Amino acid sequence: MIRVLLADDQALMRAGFRALLDAEDGLEVVGEVGDGAAAVDMAGKLQPDVVLMDVQMPGMDGIEATRRISADPDLTGVRVLILTNYELSEYVFASLRAGASGFLLKDADPATLLRAITTVARGEALLAPTVTRTLISEFVSSRPPGDPAAGRAVLTAREQEIVELVGRGLTNDEIADQMVISPLTAKTHVNRAMIKLHCHDRAQLVVWAYESGLIAPRRRSAERG
């Protein structure tokens, strides 16, 4: 059973999500709140598997609430799925940096939302590889790259290569094919890199790959040629 906490300032929106999730086998809504501060508080009390988090809420917004949940060592098992009406790259990147495991627009169809909750509950990143590459590359290209040597000091050469492939949006299966290793071995390398770099999940590993300078960001226009 996947336990879900709803965080949205619109009661009608929460009611719609609750009706959808409660009707699905394997999902249970354990609580609902209308602002970020309450989301942090209830996450601590209820220990849900997934928090469906709106971005714009009164008082503390969803991004700050996500940051606090992700930083709490007692909430390491809580995953945050950001839901918003706005498809802005700044929101996507800020959400991932805060520790969110995924980002979804509120106009997504019910089947997509249900799959997203299941994906995030498994500890996987929600963003599709192409979305990850495009949005993060475009946003961080305006920032000076960090020093990749800081991260490379704790990663083996193989782990560096794995992290770069994760940052470019490859799945474990695709990494396994490219490096001629098993998917399980690829997953093991990814997990070890996350532990060494103190990344909450795969999504944060992607962010680290760009922020550290391990991958040189490119503008979307450059990608198009």
Side-chain angles (χ1 to χ4, degrees):
M1 182 68 69
I2 298 175
R3 304 170 70 251
V4 182
L5 171 64
L6 305 177
D8 195 299
D9 63 333
Q10 299 182 36
L12 186 60
M13 187 68 69
R14 296 198 308 270
F17 287 141
R18 176 180 283 274
L20 172 65
L21 301 185
D22 282 345
E24 189 72 14
D25 292 337
L27 294 176
E28 176 189 8
V29 176
V30 295
E32 55 180 83
V33 295
D35 62 77
V40 176
D41 180 59
M42 292 303 290
K45 292 178 180 178
L46 299 175
Q47 296 283 320
D49 299 300
V50 176
V51 180
L52 291 186
M53 184 80 75
D54 187 24
V55 171
Q56 294 189 323
M57 293 186 288
M60 184 187 300
D61 65 22
I63 293 176
E64 177 59 28
T66 298
R67 183 177 295 109
R68 297 193 184 191
I69 291 173
S70 299
D72 191 333
D74 293 328
L75 300 179
T76 55
V78 178
R79 306 293 180 182
V80 177
L81 173 58
I82 294 288
L83 293 173
T84 181
N85 290 316
Y86 306 100
E87 191 175 6
L88 299 177
S89 58
E90 290 86 353
Y91 278 168
V92 177
F93 191 73
S95 299
L96 293 176
R97 288 190 66 198
S101 295
F103 185 97
L104 194 66
L105 294 179
K106 287 184 178 179
D107 62 1
D109 60 79
T112 298
L113 175 59
L114 295 174
R115 285 195 301 270
I117 293 172
T118 302
T119 297
V120 169
R122 291 198 304 261
E124 300 177 15
L126 175 64
L127 293 178
T130 54
V131 175
T132 301
R133 285 196 299 268
T134 301
L135 290 178
I136 295 182
S137 290
E138 180 179 0
F139 188 71
V140 304
S141 61
S142 62
R143 300 179 173 216
D147 179 11
R152 289 176 181 170
V154 299
L155 298 178
T156 66
R158 175 56 62 91
E159 287 167 349
Q160 290 177 40
E161 188 175 358
I162 293 284
V163 171
E164 181 176 352
L165 295 177
V166 170
R168 296 192 184 283
L170 273 67
T171 65
N172 287 343
D173 287 342
E174 291 169 336
I175 291 172
D177 289 341
Q178 181 159 327
M179 300 190 69
V180 195
I181 57 178
S182 72
L184 179 59
T185 299
K187 181 179 180 180
T188 298
H189 283 303
V190 171
N191 289 341
R192 286 175 178 170
M194 287 194 296
I195 292 172
K196 290 181 177 182
L197 297 172
H198 306 290
C199 291
H200 184 68
D201 58 18
R202 193 183 186 96
Q204 285 199 319
L205 194 61
V206 172
V207 174
W208 180 89
Y210 282 95
E211 283 198 316
S212 69
L214 185 64
I215 298 177
R218 296 175 296 171
R219 287 284 187 184
R220 183 179 301 179
S221 58
E223 291 180 345
R224 289 177 176 174

